[in-house]
Amino acid sequence: MITRRAFSFLSRRSVYAWRNQSNDARQRLDISGIYPPIATPFNEREEVDYQKLDHNLTKYAKFPFRGLVVQGSNGEYPYLCVEERVEVVRRVRQALPKHKLLMAGSGCESTRGTIQMSQRMADAGADCVLVVTPCFYRGRMDSQALINHYTKVADSCSVPVVLYSVPANTGIDLPMDAIIQLSQHPNIIGLKDSGGNISRIGLAVQKTRSQGFQVLAGSADFLMAAYAIGAVGGVCALANVLGLQVCELAQLCVSGRWDEARELQYRLIEPNAAVTRQFGVPALKQAMQWFGFEPGVCRWPLQPLCEADLQTVREKFSSNGWL
Amino acid sequence: MITRRAFSFLSRRSVYAWRNQSNDARQRLDISGIYPPIATPFNEREEVDYQKLDHNLTKYAKFPFRGLVVQGSNGEYPYLCVEERVEVVRRVRQALPKHKLLMAGSGCESTRGTIQMSQRMADAGADCVLVVTPCFYRGRMDSQALINHYTKVADSCSVPVVLYSVPANTGIDLPMDAIIQLSQHPNIIGLKDSGGNISRIGLAVQKTRSQGFQVLAGSADFLMAAYAIGAVGGVCALANVLGLQVCELAQLCVSGRWDEARELQYRLIEPNAAVTRQFGVPALKQAMQWFGFEPGVCRWPLQPLCEADLQTVREKFSSNGWL
Amino acid sequence: MITRRAFSFLSRRSVYAWRNQSNDARQRLDISGIYPPIATPFNEREEVDYQKLDHNLTKYAKFPFRGLVVQGSNGEYPYLCVEERVEVVRRVRQALPKHKLLMAGSGCESTRGTIQMSQRMADAGADCVLVVTPCFYRGRMDSQALINHYTKVADSCSVPVVLYSVPANTGIDLPMDAIIQLSQHPNIIGLKDSGGNISRIGLAVQKTRSQGFQVLAGSADFLMAAYAIGAVGGVCALANVLGLQVCELAQLCVSGRWDEARELQYRLIEPNAAVTRQFGVPALKQAMQWFGFEPGVCRWPLQPLCEADLQTVREKFSSNGWL
Amino acid sequence: MITRRAFSFLSRRSVYAWRNQSNDARQRLDISGIYPPIATPFNEREEVDYQKLDHNLTKYAKFPFRGLVVQGSNGEYPYLCVEERVEVVRRVRQALPKHKLLMAGSGCESTRGTIQMSQRMADAGADCVLVVTPCFYRGRMDSQALINHYTKVADSCSVPVVLYSVPANTGIDLPMDAIIQLSQHPNIIGLKDSGGNISRIGLAVQKTRSQGFQVLAGSADFLMAAYAIGAVGGVCALANVLGLQVCELAQLCVSGRWDEARELQYRLIEPNAAVTRQFGVPALKQAMQWFGFEPGVCRWPLQPLCEADLQTVREKFSSNGWL
């Protein structure tokens, strides 16, 4: 298994252990389990508030998460400058127990930017990097362009790469043929799929499992269905708020207690939609506050919710028995 | 249970048994199970070919279907004139064993047209009607308009109504608040959801099951996930081709054999996509031919597949072990 | 010129005059000018109200329209049964002066349905037919399918065919290569483009003008721009309400008085949006009432506007000086 | 008029001349005319190639452009790091004659990032900044969020701000009510609209001209129509290739020679589509090479065109008489 700790006393070239492994022999980093894509707390001047971050990390440490995703879409990463992105990863690594994985979102629009960011995050302690599809020139981002992009990033990165498809933000659903081909790269170990198309998730599992490729659900509202069809975990915004419950749902799925899982899943759909698709990061941060976290404000142009929307979000939690 | 046979010797008003039932007491028609939305065979002059239809019905009779859907999207119903739509229902009813349900697609763009068509189909022997969302003026089809439409149709129809949401064809996803409100109508008993958004399906089940409302998956590629989250059956184009296999998948889900279900589900995703989303009715009819059915040609403007597309469709069946 | 009157005393085959014309020699029906796509009035029982229709036709007779479009998208044609569609055309023909063109919307989903409807409308007195793109199986409606569809319709129709692209309703923008190829058919004389993409309209003119093909703007809000780039007229819902003003705008464009045209165009954009894209046929019918027409109600599922929306529509007319 | 040269010897606060102007009295920077949104040349190692840039600037100096847009969508700005973005602006300013405007694309996802970038570009010599709509959290980018964003940027920026709406890249069309409200800000002087909806452009002109707000067409294929409806210029990718021709088209429009303009406009539609919507920046750079410019390669993940696509692009230029 490629581990984070190995990197500190090895030169970069030599750590690319995967280069020397045969396809059969290689052991991919096990990324199964639940991750909250943590929010980045800001103070009133919109600066990263590391004290609030530490507060939250302490709370998360009590949950049976597999690890944390730093700078997924809910981390407001497009609002952080390069140095902030790296520094947040460094701080989280310091606070995070060694046995917990740190998956760092290192995607940039350009391939060279992504390569640099990925390595800086690896150097800052990330166990693997989560690389979102570039999207500004979406008309040109066909399968071949994306295959080339990810291959180049994975070739040069000292930690494993996880593909990240989040069409609600990017307007791009990573094509299936690209996923299949990229799953054969020894340093590309999985996919976070936030699109939620369940037959697509099933197809991705079917077509890549022989490679040991791992599929993670990108949201809690289809987590049970994703497990049912072969996913091995989830990166779920809702786990920032209802971390225990999302972990429990995963545990019920893994142990085949589908009837209990279904009942729990029902109660997570509406709260999940409220803090993701419907009202976004401002709702997520508000809900975190209700549950004792310290998310701080959002950076502009993200605006706080109006009173009516806040009530709606609150109602989605309370009517399902969480508040 | 409201049965088709009751209608022949009762005046129309008196058969609306549901009108006199209390909400608690009423027993909804059980629509759980698998249905092929049957293709309408045409001969070379593009006339409905009832001989081919009978051939197919005879073959379907051997499968453990709950019943048949006549004039779902795969039935080319928008290409049939009013008389043809009714006549096809009448013919299917004649051939169909009494214990099999006939669900007839009676949706038209106007409410009055839908009311008339629904009753004509009920009179021709439909056990229930499947009513697609009107869509031409989609900018005006908000929740309230759709609630009004379905309520008026269900109020006047002597057989139960099943809602039908198929955004790929209509551009409209029946809104959740409309589904929830309509589920309380005593004569609206279920939903066929072809959109395939699995958390939406879960939410629909959660919010309507206290009413005895029944949700059917509208396609085979998310059938297992839909069962997992509480759906009770499926209307699956692929069941026109691989009827036994789709029924077996349903049976595995119902009996909680999820690991076997998953393996079978995998093998159905690609063939299903090929005969629906990817290549549509012309591919479905071609595949039916490979499996011994007599689908005939499509009505224009639907065109036969080119040779390359045919090869792709065939490959999706053969690579999954079906051909 | 192919004229309507010729058909009454000639057998159908012999009137297909265009079949015997060389491409160069043929004279296409001149369709330049302004047409209101008239609304179909319904009484309170939602029956076609021919008295109201006559009232409106009498008023329209005073405007310098080139003719009328019967059963464009604003005519609620998807809500009319076959007999009603033909009968409305017949009635309009009776009331319409001989020198005014009657362009009848004859599009159906199937090619055979469109052929039959087109000929019935020609027999009922239509000078040409306006054929909307079939759209239910939009995934299959590629250029070749649409070329085949329109070619077969035009081959068999005794009056000229006008192509009709209205993506807001159909989800399909008739592809440019199809337009170009179809423009070469001797019996396809023009295009009504309601998409409003002005460079597409320009390209259609550039690529088809050598054929004498005529492009009509499908809405009043881009009428001036369409004239500027080479369109020869417009089918404008707003002309149902502000008929004189739309005709005046066209006249200013034709005579090259662009500065005056621009000022008038500005004042039509908001009212036009209100009765089309924003609030649809219910708003159109309400506005017609304000201006002395008798539109009656809409057929369900189209619902009347709520009070707030009505105020918005009214304000769009009053703030631009029309009410 | 606010000029660039004023800033070098004035403290930042004092240069915000617009703050002390009454609305009536203020004179907005005149941005009418044609701008190429210049490409950023890269060498084979994908570094910014300033020699190639100088070569191109020398050629552009001979054309009657109003100025240059640096880091519009065609400048691959999302692929440049912060320092590169500023440095390219500084280099262009050095090479650009004083009387030519430099409009610099300073948009970032966050408001604070955009504020910083805008001021750095102003300090590097930009006469005004072009600020694209933030888009990653598009579900939250409603009118109010965008109004707040632009207001804060314009409040703090020492040079005027031009709004920039480019839905093909961002998935967001800056809402009309936001445009209207923002047009009243003394330091927001115009809009580059690349969406190309011509009635929207007309409405923007109608609603903002009393403020002296200026609308620029964002592409050459609707340039004539935009002028016809009141736009005062254009930022046109095609002007990188056919600079003289685009300027000539503008001149024909300004002088009211619409018939000549129309003929020239026709010949620009297809080449424009080829280097923008259809094949993007790789096609633009290829075409620049055909016409004697030195665009270098694109940064990855943008890929060079395949041979077949190259032929298509070339054909769009040659068939319209440009090659």
Side-chain angles (χ1 to χ4, degrees):
Chain A
M1 187 168 64
I2 299 176
T3 64
R4 182 187 57 81
R5 288 169 302 279
F7 305 146
S8 48
F9 46 85
L10 287 176
S11 77
R12 190 173 300 171
R13 283 209 74 80
S14 64
V15 298
Y16 297 173
W18 51 265
R19 288 191 193 277
N20 302 315
Q21 290 181 315
S22 78
N23 239 25
D24 298 328
R26 80 173 178 266
Q27 181 93 28
R28 304 224 194 204
L29 177 65
D30 177 359
I31 56 172
S32 63
I34 298 299
Y35 306 73
I38 63 169
T40 306
F42 298 107
N43 64 23
E44 290 300 325
R45 289 184 308 282
E46 293 192 15
E47 294 156 352
V48 180
D49 189 323
Y50 290 103
Q51 221 166 347
K52 284 183 175 18
L53 180 61
D54 280 337
H55 170 91
N56 298 338
L57 293 174
T58 305
K59 289 199 68 172
Y60 290 141
K62 298 172 192 154
F63 297 157
F65 293 138
R66 175 71 179 97
L68 304 180
V69 165
V70 182
Q71 290 165 45
S73 297
N74 294 289
E76 295 174 67
Y77 78 83
Y79 294 172
L80 301 182
C81 69
V82 171
E83 296 309 320
E84 288 171 329
R85 290 183 71 171
V86 176
E87 180 62 15
V88 169
V89 169
R90 209 178 58 77
R91 296 289 189 106
V92 172
R93 182 71 275 174
Q94 287 176 342
L96 194 67
K98 298 283 184 221
H99 65 284
K100 300 271 184 170
L101 285 182
L102 195 166
M103 190 183 300
S106 66
C108 301
E109 280 291 327
S110 74
T111 306
R112 64 192 279 130
T114 307
I115 289 173
Q116 290 165 7
M117 183 64 85
S118 298
Q119 196 51 50
R120 289 194 64 180
M121 284 178 166
D123 293 345
D127 296 296
C128 56
V129 289
L130 182 66
V131 180
V132 71
T133 52
C135 64
F136 191 76
Y137 299 104
R138 71 196 62 180
R140 301 305 300 161
M141 292 299 103
D142 57 14
S143 285
Q144 195 52 58
L146 291 165
I147 289 170
N148 289 353
H149 173 75
Y150 279 111
T151 300
K152 214 166 182 176
V153 171
D155 278 349
S156 75
C157 187
S158 63
V159 296
V161 167
V162 177
L163 309 174
Y164 181 17
S165 182
V166 56
N169 290 118
T170 63
I172 289 186
D173 219 358
L174 188 56
M176 186 56 58
D177 62 336
I179 293 171
I180 295 170
Q181 183 164 339
L182 291 168
S183 73
Q184 296 165 19
H185 191 290
N187 203 32
I188 298 179
I189 63 169
L191 164 71
K192 173 187 175 189
D193 187 302
S194 295
N197 181 323
I198 201 68
S199 52
R200 184 180 134 90
I201 291 175
L203 191 56
V205 173
Q206 179 192 18
K207 295 295 187 184
T208 65
R209 56 183 172 163
S210 66
Q211 303 290 334
F213 191 78
Q214 303 158 81
V215 177
L216 301 175
S219 199
D221 57 357
F222 55 88
L223 183 61
M224 179 205 173
Y227 267 108
I229 202 68
V232 298
V235 180
C236 305
L238 190 64
N240 280 298
V241 183
L242 299 175
L244 272 179
Q245 292 81 349
V246 175
C247 289
E248 189 193 342
L249 174 53
Q251 188 51 41
L252 290 171
C253 293
V254 166
S255 52
R257 294 156 67 187
W258 296 105
D259 292 339
E260 291 161 86
R262 185 183 307 116
E263 293 302 318
L264 179 52
Q265 174 70 82
Y266 286 150
R267 296 170 60 204
L268 299 179
I269 295 176
E270 287 186 306
N272 182 78
V275 300
T276 57
R277 184 168 32 81
Q278 275 184 302
F279 299 107
V281 182
L284 178 66
K285 287 194 158 175
Q286 180 57 68
M288 287 176 67
Q289 208 149 44
W290 292 332
F291 286 83
F293 296 91
E294 294 192 2
V297 301
C298 290
R299 272 196 175 159
W300 272 38
L302 282 177
Q303 306 289 309
L305 296 188
C306 67
E307 193 50 43
D309 290 349
L310 268 184
Q311 287 305 326
T312 303
V313 176
R314 192 170 185 92
E315 196 275 332
K316 297 300 183 188
F317 280 88
S318 60
S319 69
N320 283 285
W322 306 121
L323 269 179
Chain B
M1 189 168 67
I2 299 174
T3 65
R4 183 188 55 81
R5 288 168 300 281
F7 306 145
S8 48
F9 45 87
L10 287 177
S11 78
R12 189 173 301 171
R13 283 210 75 79
S14 65
V15 298
Y16 297 173
W18 50 266
R19 288 192 193 277
N20 302 315
Q21 289 180 314
S22 78
N23 239 26
D24 298 330
R26 80 173 179 266
Q27 182 91 27
R28 304 224 193 204
L29 177 65
D30 177 359
I31 56 173
S32 61
I34 298 298
Y35 305 73
I38 63 169
T40 307
F42 299 106
N43 65 23
E44 290 300 324
R45 288 183 310 283
E46 293 192 14
E47 294 154 353
V48 180
D49 189 323
Y50 291 104
Q51 222 166 346
K52 286 183 175 15
L53 179 62
D54 280 337
H55 171 90
N56 297 338
L57 293 174
T58 305
K59 291 199 66 171
Y60 291 141
K62 298 173 191 152
F63 297 157
F65 294 138
R66 175 69 179 99
L68 304 179
V69 165
V70 182
Q71 290 164 46
S73 297
N74 294 289
E76 295 175 64
Y77 78 83
Y79 294 172
L80 301 183
C81 71
V82 170
E83 296 309 320
E84 288 172 329
R85 289 183 71 171
V86 175
E87 181 61 14
V88 170
V89 169
R90 210 179 58 79
R91 295 289 190 107
V92 172
R93 182 72 274 175
Q94 288 175 342
L96 194 66
K98 298 284 185 221
H99 64 285
K100 299 271 185 172
L101 285 183
L102 194 166
M103 190 184 300
S106 65
C108 302
E109 280 290 327
S110 74
T111 306
R112 64 192 280 132
T114 307
I115 288 173
Q116 290 165 8
M117 183 65 85
S118 297
Q119 195 51 50
R120 290 193 63 180
M121 285 178 165
D123 293 344
D127 296 296
C128 56
V129 289
L130 181 66
V131 180
V132 71
T133 52
C135 63
F136 191 77
Y137 299 103
R138 69 196 64 179
R140 302 303 302 161
M141 292 299 103
D142 57 16
S143 285
Q144 194 53 58
L146 292 164
I147 288 171
N148 289 353
H149 174 75
Y150 280 110
T151 299
K152 213 165 179 176
V153 171
D155 278 349
S156 75
C157 187
S158 64
V159 296
V161 168
V162 177
L163 309 174
Y164 181 17
S165 182
V166 56
N169 290 117
T170 63
I172 289 186
D173 218 359
L174 189 55
M176 186 55 59
D177 62 336
I179 293 172
I180 294 171
Q181 183 163 340
L182 290 168
S183 74
Q184 295 165 19
H185 191 290
N187 203 31
I188 298 179
I189 62 170
L191 164 71
K192 173 188 175 189
D193 187 301
S194 294
N197 181 322
I198 202 67
S199 52
R200 185 179 133 91
I201 291 176
L203 191 56
V205 174
Q206 178 193 19
K207 295 294 188 183
T208 65
R209 58 183 170 162
S210 66
Q211 304 290 333
F213 191 78
Q214 301 158 83
V215 177
L216 302 175
S219 201
D221 58 358
F222 54 88
L223 183 62
M224 179 205 173
Y227 267 109
I229 203 65
V232 299
V235 180
C236 306
L238 189 64
N240 280 298
V241 184
L242 299 176
L244 271 179
Q245 292 82 348
V246 175
C247 289
E248 189 193 341
L249 174 54
Q251 187 51 40
L252 290 171
C253 293
V254 165
S255 51
R257 294 157 65 188
W258 296 105
D259 292 341
E260 290 161 86
R262 184 183 309 117
E263 293 302 318
L264 180 52
Q265 174 69 81
Y266 287 150
R267 297 169 61 204
L268 299 180
I269 295 175
E270 286 186 307
N272 182 77
V275 300
T276 57
R277 185 167 32 80
Q278 274 184 302
F279 300 106
V281 182
L284 177 66
K285 287 193 159 175
Q286 180 56 68
M288 286 176 68
Q289 208 149 45
W290 292 332
F291 287 83
F293 296 91
E294 295 192 359
V297 302
C298 290
R299 273 197 175 159
W300 272 39
L302 283 176
Q303 306 289 308
L305 297 187
C306 67
E307 193 50 45
D309 289 348
L310 268 185
Q311 287 306 325
T312 304
V313 175
R314 193 170 183 91
E315 196 274 333
K316 298 300 183 187
F317 279 88
S318 60
S319 69
N320 283 284
W322 306 122
L323 269 179
Chain C
M1 189 167 68
I2 299 175
T3 66
R4 182 188 55 82
R5 288 168 302 279
F7 304 146
S8 48
F9 46 86
L10 287 176
S11 78
R12 190 174 299 172
R13 283 209 74 80
S14 65
V15 298
Y16 297 173
W18 51 265
R19 289 191 192 276
N20 301 316
Q21 290 180 315
S22 77
N23 239 25
D24 297 330
R26 80 173 178 267
Q27 181 93 28
R28 304 225 194 203
L29 178 65
D30 176 0
I31 56 172
S32 63
I34 298 299
Y35 305 72
I38 63 169
T40 307
F42 299 107
N43 65 23
E44 290 300 324
R45 288 184 310 283
E46 293 193 14
E47 294 155 353
V48 180
D49 190 324
Y50 291 103
Q51 221 166 347
K52 285 184 175 16
L53 179 62
D54 280 337
H55 171 91
N56 297 339
L57 294 174
T58 305
K59 289 200 66 172
Y60 290 142
K62 298 173 192 152
F63 298 158
F65 294 138
R66 176 69 179 100
L68 303 179
V69 165
V70 182
Q71 289 164 47
S73 298
N74 293 288
E76 294 174 66
Y77 78 84
Y79 294 172
L80 301 183
C81 72
V82 170
E83 297 308 321
E84 288 172 329
R85 288 183 71 172
V86 175
E87 181 62 14
V88 169
V89 169
R90 208 179 58 80
R91 297 290 190 105
V92 172
R93 181 73 273 174
Q94 288 175 342
L96 194 66
K98 298 283 184 220
H99 64 284
K100 299 271 186 171
L101 285 182
L102 195 166
M103 190 183 299
S106 65
C108 301
E109 279 292 327
S110 74
T111 306
R112 63 192 280 131
T114 307
I115 289 172
Q116 290 164 8
M117 183 65 84
S118 298
Q119 195 52 49
R120 290 194 64 180
M121 285 178 166
D123 293 344
D127 296 296
C128 56
V129 289
L130 181 67
V131 180
V132 71
T133 52
C135 63
F136 191 78
Y137 299 104
R138 69 196 63 179
R140 302 304 301 160
M141 292 300 103
D142 58 14
S143 285
Q144 195 53 57
L146 292 165
I147 288 170
N148 289 354
H149 174 74
Y150 280 111
T151 300
K152 213 166 180 175
V153 171
D155 278 349
S156 76
C157 188
S158 65
V159 295
V161 167
V162 177
L163 310 174
Y164 181 17
S165 182
V166 57
N169 290 116
T170 63
I172 290 185
D173 219 359
L174 188 57
M176 186 56 58
D177 62 336
I179 293 171
I180 294 170
Q181 183 164 338
L182 290 167
S183 73
Q184 296 165 19
H185 191 290
N187 203 31
I188 298 179
I189 62 169
L191 164 71
K192 173 188 175 188
D193 187 301
S194 295
N197 181 323
I198 202 68
S199 53
R200 186 179 134 90
I201 291 176
L203 191 56
V205 173
Q206 178 193 18
K207 294 294 187 185
T208 65
R209 58 184 172 162
S210 66
Q211 303 290 335
F213 191 77
Q214 301 158 83
V215 177
L216 301 176
S219 200
D221 58 357
F222 55 88
L223 183 61
M224 179 205 172
Y227 266 109
I229 202 67
V232 300
V235 180
C236 306
L238 190 64
N240 280 298
V241 184
L242 299 175
L244 271 180
Q245 292 82 349
V246 175
C247 289
E248 189 193 341
L249 174 54
Q251 188 51 40
L252 290 170
C253 293
V254 167
S255 50
R257 293 156 65 187
W258 297 105
D259 292 340
E260 291 161 86
R262 184 183 307 117
E263 293 302 319
L264 179 51
Q265 174 69 81
Y266 286 151
R267 296 170 60 203
L268 299 179
I269 295 175
E270 287 187 306
N272 182 78
V275 300
T276 58
R277 185 168 32 80
Q278 276 184 301
F279 299 106
V281 182
L284 178 66
K285 286 194 159 176
Q286 180 57 69
M288 286 176 68
Q289 208 150 45
W290 292 331
F291 286 83
F293 295 92
E294 294 193 0
V297 302
C298 290
R299 271 196 176 159
W300 273 40
L302 282 177
Q303 306 290 308
L305 297 188
C306 67
E307 193 50 44
D309 289 350
L310 268 184
Q311 287 304 326
T312 303
V313 176
R314 193 169 184 92
E315 196 274 332
K316 297 301 183 187
F317 279 88
S318 60
S319 69
N320 283 284
W322 305 121
L323 269 179
Chain D
M1 188 167 68
I2 299 174
T3 65
R4 183 188 56 81
R5 289 168 302 279
F7 305 146
S8 49
F9 45 87
L10 286 177
S11 77
R12 189 174 300 171
R13 281 211 76 79
S14 64
V15 298
Y16 295 174
W18 50 265
R19 287 191 192 277
N20 301 315
Q21 290 180 316
S22 78
N23 240 26
D24 298 329
R26 79 173 179 265
Q27 182 93 26
R28 305 222 193 206
L29 177 65
D30 177 0
I31 56 173
S32 62
I34 297 298
Y35 306 72
I38 64 168
T40 306
F42 298 107
N43 64 24
E44 290 301 324
R45 290 184 309 283
E46 294 193 16
E47 294 154 353
V48 180
D49 190 323
Y50 291 103
Q51 221 165 348
K52 284 183 176 15
L53 179 62
D54 280 336
H55 170 90
N56 298 338
L57 294 174
T58 305
K59 289 200 66 173
Y60 290 142
K62 297 173 192 152
F63 297 157
F65 293 139
R66 175 71 179 96
L68 303 179
V69 165
V70 182
Q71 289 163 47
S73 298
N74 294 289
E76 294 175 66
Y77 78 83
Y79 293 172
L80 301 183
C81 70
V82 170
E83 297 308 321
E84 288 172 330
R85 288 183 72 172
V86 175
E87 180 62 13
V88 170
V89 169
R90 209 179 59 77
R91 295 290 189 107
V92 172
R93 181 72 273 176
Q94 288 175 342
L96 194 67
K98 298 282 185 224
H99 65 284
K100 299 270 186 173
L101 285 183
L102 194 166
M103 191 183 300
S106 65
C108 301
E109 280 292 327
S110 74
T111 306
R112 63 192 280 131
T114 307
I115 288 173
Q116 290 164 8
M117 183 63 85
S118 297
Q119 195 53 49
R120 290 193 64 179
M121 284 179 166
D123 293 344
D127 296 297
C128 56
V129 289
L130 181 67
V131 179
V132 71
T133 52
C135 63
F136 190 77
Y137 298 104
R138 70 196 63 181
R140 301 305 301 161
M141 294 298 103
D142 56 15
S143 285
Q144 195 53 58
L146 292 165
I147 288 171
N148 289 353
H149 174 73
Y150 280 112
T151 300
K152 214 165 179 176
V153 171
D155 278 350
S156 75
C157 187
S158 64
V159 296
V161 167
V162 177
L163 309 173
Y164 180 17
S165 183
V166 56
N169 290 117
T170 64
I172 289 186
D173 219 359
L174 188 57
M176 186 55 59
D177 61 336
I179 293 171
I180 294 171
Q181 183 164 339
L182 290 168
S183 73
Q184 296 165 20
H185 191 290
N187 203 32
I188 299 179
I189 62 169
L191 164 72
K192 174 188 174 188
D193 188 300
S194 294
N197 180 323
I198 201 68
S199 53
R200 185 180 133 91
I201 291 175
L203 192 56
V205 174
Q206 178 193 18
K207 295 295 186 183
T208 65
R209 57 182 171 164
S210 67
Q211 304 289 334
F213 191 78
Q214 301 159 82
V215 177
L216 301 176
S219 200
D221 58 356
F222 55 88
L223 183 61
M224 179 205 173
Y227 267 109
I229 202 66
V232 299
V235 179
C236 306
L238 189 64
N240 280 299
V241 184
L242 299 176
L244 271 180
Q245 292 81 348
V246 175
C247 289
E248 189 192 341
L249 174 54
Q251 187 52 39
L252 290 170
C253 293
V254 167
S255 52
R257 293 156 66 187
W258 296 105
D259 292 340
E260 290 161 86
R262 184 183 307 117
E263 293 303 318
L264 179 52
Q265 173 70 81
Y266 286 150
R267 297 170 61 203
L268 300 180
I269 294 175
E270 286 186 307
N272 182 77
V275 299
T276 58
R277 185 168 32 81
Q278 275 184 303
F279 299 106
V281 182
L284 178 66
K285 287 193 160 176
Q286 179 57 69
M288 287 176 68
Q289 208 149 45
W290 291 332
F291 286 84
F293 296 92
E294 295 192 359
V297 302
C298 290
R299 272 197 175 158
W300 272 39
L302 283 177
Q303 306 289 308
L305 297 188
C306 68
E307 193 51 43
D309 290 349
L310 268 184
Q311 287 305 326
T312 303
V313 175
R314 192 170 185 91
E315 196 274 332
K316 297 301 184 187
F317 280 88
S318 61
S319 69
N320 283 285
W322 306 121
L323 270 178

